[in-house]
Amino acid sequence: DIQMTQSPSSLSASLGDRVTITCRASEDISTYLHWYQQRPGKAPKLLIFAASNLQSGVPSRFSGSGSGTDFTLTISSLQPEDFATYYCQQSYSALYTFGPGTKLEIK
Amino acid sequence: EVQLVESGGDLVQPGGSLRLSCAASGFSLNTYWTHWVRQAPGKGLEWVARMNSEGASISHADAVKGRFTISRDNAKNTFFLQMGSLRADDTAVYYCAISRFSTSSLDSWGQGTLVSVSP
């Protein structure tokens, strides 16, 4: 199975900060990498698909990049509603896998 | 409006069975791949199973292979997760989700249904 790792596992930041979350795959997954946001008690929400494509309705302060094994999610200027947990997920193999998550907290 | 609504979550004893349903509304399910994802209390997301739009290609995570089965009924715009030989570590909120073949990302999600496995 393809293993996904994320760093950091948690992050404290302030409103207006620029933050970057990293996701790494255990093997080359091309751009079959997606990012999700999950607020407490809510279902996950797709933010970025295929590594760098912004899902419809998602604010442009979110962006993604990368290919192969290394990927990043960047939030350019943190807003109050962005404090949540973020997951990457690969769909390159038939057995999809998620990263362990990055919890973004208010400093 | 695209909507997915799960049902069937319950408290069940170890070794028991349960069937979860996910009803789609506002769109036709027959062109989408269907998925189940679970989240144990306080833990991260775990992908469980997927089925392609024709029902010909199916995959299950190793943790549930041989115990869980994904299926769909396009005529009823609904898909299912049949769960058997349930164990305590299957306790989780189970989400249904859909993806398009072109992107394979999980575009829309249900609100989740809780499965608790306990004596």
Side-chain angles (χ1 to χ4, degrees):
Chain A
D1 295 3
I2 297 175
Q3 308 301 318
M4 307 300 294
T5 57
Q6 286 182 235
S7 61
S9 57
S10 64
L11 174 60
S12 294
S14 302
L15 292 176
D17 281 355
R18 178 184 181 92
V19 299
T20 297
I21 299 169
T22 297
C23 176
R24 177 164 289 172
S26 60
E27 61 184 82
D28 188 339
I29 59 170
S30 183
T31 57
Y32 288 85
L33 188 285
H34 320 293
W35 290 97
Y36 302 85
Q37 176 193 68
Q38 187 180 34
R39 298 188 178 110
K42 300 296 186 183
K45 171 188 171 184
L46 176 65
L47 298 176
I48 302 285
F49 65 93
S52 61
N53 296 275
L54 194 67
Q55 174 71 346
S56 175
V58 174
S60 59
R61 63 181 179 273
F62 291 92
S63 63
S65 66
S67 66
T69 60
D70 294 310
F71 302 87
T72 59
L73 172 70
T74 298
I75 310 172
S76 61
S77 179
L78 279 173
Q79 300 301 302
E81 59 270 28
D82 299 339
F83 292 94
T85 300
Y86 293 84
Y87 296 92
C88 61
Q89 174 245 326
Q90 66 81 21
S91 59
Y92 181 82
S93 90
L95 303 183
Y96 293 10
T97 43
F98 286 90
T102 295
K103 187 173 184 179
L104 180 53
E105 299 174 307
I106 301 174
K107 184 182 286 184
Chain B
E1 179 194 2
V2 170
Q3 193 171 17
L4 298 170
V5 178
E6 301 97 338
S7 60
D10 205 348
L11 172 64
V12 60
Q13 292 190 338
S17 299
L18 208 57
R19 188 172 89 151
L20 306 183
S21 299
C22 181
S25 62
F27 70 103
S28 177
L29 193 56
N30 62 11
T31 60
Y32 288 85
W33 290 35
T34 56
H35 304 258
W36 290 93
V37 175
R38 68 184 181 181
Q39 187 168 36
K43 302 298 184 182
L45 301 173
E46 180 183 18
W47 175 84
V48 172
R50 70 151 176 85
M51 174 178 276
N52 74 343
S53 54
E54 298 83 12
S57 174
I58 297 173
S59 296
H60 295 86
D62 291 344
V64 306
K65 198 171 294 183
R67 300 187 301 122
F68 292 9
T69 301
I70 188 171
S71 63
R72 63 194 293 161
D73 185 338
N74 285 342
K76 294 183 177 179
N77 230 27
T78 301
F79 61 103
F80 309 95
L81 185 68
Q82 180 68 46
M83 310 165 68
S85 302
L86 282 161
R87 311 186 300 226
D89 62 358
D90 294 319
T91 294
V93 173
Y94 284 73
Y95 295 101
C96 63
I98 56 170
S99 66
R100 293 167 287 160
F101 174 74
S102 57
T103 63
S104 69
S105 54
L106 304 182
D107 297 347
S108 296
W109 296 64
Q111 83 288 351
T113 188
L114 177 63
V115 173
S116 293
V117 184
S118 179

